[in-house]
Amino acid sequence: MSDFASTEQRLAVTCRRYPDFPRRPATLVRLIKHIHKLLHDDANLTLKPYGLNHPQYNLLMMLYGSASGTMSPSELADAAGEKSANITRLTNELCEKGLIARSGSADDRRKIELSLTSQGQALLESLLPDICTLLAKQGRHLTVSEQSQLEKLLKKFLSGLAD
Amino acid sequence: MSDFASTEQRLAVTCRRYPDFPRRPATLVRLIKHIHKLLHDDANLTLKPYGLNHPQYNLLMMLYGSASGTMSPSELADAAGEKSANITRLTNELCEKGLIARSGSADDRRKIELSLTSQGQALLESLLPDICTLLAKQGRHLTVSEQSQLEKLLKKFLSGLAD
DNA sequence: TATATATATTATATAAATGTACTATTTTTG
DNA sequence: CAAAAATAGTACATTTATATAATATATATA
């Protein structure tokens, strides 16, 4: 068990010392932080044998899931939640490995189109079985209906975050 | 609205290209990543006027919530989900600002005890109103019962992550 | 056309996070 | 008791991430 009990203990003390502290939202925030860290570390562990880290994998998956097969750097930054300065570095790394390709856009020549190379797609599909196993394992304590319910509640929570 | 719709669109394409992809858990993972980022950025924005960043604030809050008022660096690392190497840097920063204090432990002389200074406690209590406002705002789209339900499901999800 | 806006990149500095190796102290155990 | 093992902490190097400003180019618009 991931020891969230000690976190709850600390929240109890905090509320005793500062009664206005909004315990429920604070608990949610700490749970999400805690879960995020575990997910991130797990993913990095799974990806390491393939020479990728989590952000790089994410970029590849954004491209894999794009309808057209291409995305501009700014679209990619938006999709992956990375700052644009980071995208240049990350896409450079992926280009150097031959996993993605850059090409100028025909309709707007300010833009660059990024796409998976066949090598990138092959790498992705070689590691997807491991990722699928990981994802299935991560969700294993929840029934399908609980997963749906959780998804619904998280979306509602998310809707309150976007000013 | 935080545009999660485009993420779902990409997941749909991904599942079409790779039918074994576990869509539900993957959706949960991406939601959590997305939410975590917004929470993290929001917190940093709120804390900036006080000269703190999110990790530093977290450390102060761990101490504020500790029953004894002191924690060893390794306890703090564990509580805050930071690697021990990071804790040295962060606690140095907080020490230099006079917000926390170091002192040797009496019972185990390998240990060091970290505690909030009165200055640290004062800073914390000066910013807590803003944090409380933020937390309340972040949870505003969920009823109390939905918050409880979400908390319950997140804990169950978490229980599946700790190998 | 002149001006403003959008896109991408580069350069630079800084901050944040991690990994590894090392020291000191305490505890274990042979 | 002495040697080995465990624990806690730190120091250093490296990697990763962010912030900012500057540049180049393309597009939009007044």
Side-chain angles (χ1 to χ4, degrees):
Chain A
M1 245 303 275
S2 256
D3 188 13
F4 193 70
S6 48
T7 294
E8 294 203 283
Q9 162 64 17
R10 278 187 296 273
L11 281 168
V13 172
T14 298
C15 291
R16 212 174 309 135
R17 296 183 68 175
Y18 197 90
D20 279 350
F21 197 69
R23 184 175 186 155
R24 275 183 209 286
T27 305
L28 292 177
V29 166
R30 294 205 190 175
L31 267 167
I32 287 180
K33 176 169 159 38
H34 196 152
I35 288 171
H36 178 265
K37 174 146 200 68
L38 292 177
L39 292 174
H40 181 73
D41 291 350
D42 261 8
N44 273 324
L45 215 61
T46 299
L47 293 166
K48 190 154 201 173
Y50 300 95
L52 292 176
N53 60 26
H54 198 189
Q56 292 169 335
Y57 160 80
N58 274 328
L59 295 196
L60 297 180
M61 282 303 280
M62 297 301 117
L63 287 171
Y64 191 74
S66 78
S68 69
T70 70
M71 297 175 87
S72 71
S74 51
E75 284 171 333
L76 199 51
D78 186 57
E82 297 282 350
K83 304 289 150 64
S84 89
N86 244 3
I87 286 295
T88 301
R89 177 179 53 85
L90 289 166
T91 53
N92 279 345
E93 293 165 4
L94 294 172
C95 277
E96 278 162 24
K97 294 186 186 196
L99 302 175
I100 66 174
R102 284 191 171 97
S103 72
S105 161
D107 45 303
D108 185 339
R109 282 182 304 175
R110 288 173 302 185
K111 287 189 183 174
I112 287 203
E113 284 177 349
L114 300 164
S115 57
L116 277 182
T117 61
S118 57
Q119 201 185 330
Q121 176 166 344
L123 175 63
L124 209 43
E125 287 173 351
S126 80
L127 65 78
L128 273 175
D130 276 358
I131 289 289
C132 292
T133 301
L134 176 65
L135 285 168
K137 190 180 149 213
Q138 288 170 336
R140 75 182 189 278
H141 280 206
L142 297 175
T143 66
V144 168
S145 133
E146 284 171 332
Q147 290 182 26
S148 297
Q149 180 67 5
L150 178 52
E151 182 180 325
K152 196 176 129 202
L153 289 168
L154 284 174
K155 282 178 184 166
K156 204 161 181 184
F157 185 56
L158 172 62
S159 73
L161 298 180
D163 304 39
Chain B
M1 244 306 274
S2 254
D3 189 12
F4 193 71
S6 48
T7 295
E8 295 203 283
Q9 162 64 16
R10 278 188 295 272
L11 281 168
V13 172
T14 298
C15 290
R16 211 175 308 134
R17 297 182 69 176
Y18 196 91
D20 279 350
F21 197 68
R23 184 175 186 155
R24 275 181 209 284
T27 305
L28 292 177
V29 166
R30 293 204 191 176
L31 267 167
I32 287 178
K33 177 168 156 41
H34 197 151
I35 289 171
H36 178 264
K37 176 149 198 66
L38 292 177
L39 292 175
H40 180 73
D41 291 351
D42 262 7
N44 273 324
L45 216 62
T46 300
L47 293 166
K48 191 156 201 172
Y50 299 95
L52 292 177
N53 60 27
H54 199 188
Q56 291 170 334
Y57 161 80
N58 274 328
L59 295 196
L60 296 181
M61 283 303 279
M62 298 301 118
L63 287 171
Y64 191 74
S66 77
S68 69
T70 71
M71 298 176 85
S72 72
S74 53
E75 284 170 332
L76 199 51
D78 187 56
E82 299 281 352
K83 304 287 150 66
S84 88
N86 247 1
I87 287 294
T88 300
R89 177 180 53 86
L90 290 166
T91 52
N92 280 343
E93 293 164 4
L94 294 172
C95 277
E96 278 162 25
K97 294 186 187 198
L99 302 175
I100 66 173
R102 286 190 170 99
S103 71
S105 161
D107 45 301
D108 186 337
R109 283 181 304 173
R110 291 174 296 186
K111 287 189 183 172
I112 286 197
E113 286 177 350
L114 300 164
S115 57
L116 277 183
T117 60
S118 57
Q119 201 185 332
Q121 175 166 345
L123 175 64
L124 208 43
E125 288 175 351
S126 80
L127 64 77
L128 273 174
D130 277 359
I131 290 289
C132 291
T133 301
L134 177 65
L135 286 167
K137 189 180 150 211
Q138 288 170 335
R140 74 183 189 276
H141 280 206
L142 297 176
T143 66
V144 169
S145 132
E146 284 171 332
Q147 290 183 24
S148 297
Q149 180 67 6
L150 178 51
E151 182 180 323
K152 196 176 128 200
L153 288 168
L154 284 174
K155 282 180 185 168
K156 203 163 181 182
F157 185 57
L158 172 61
S159 73
L161 298 180
D163 302 37

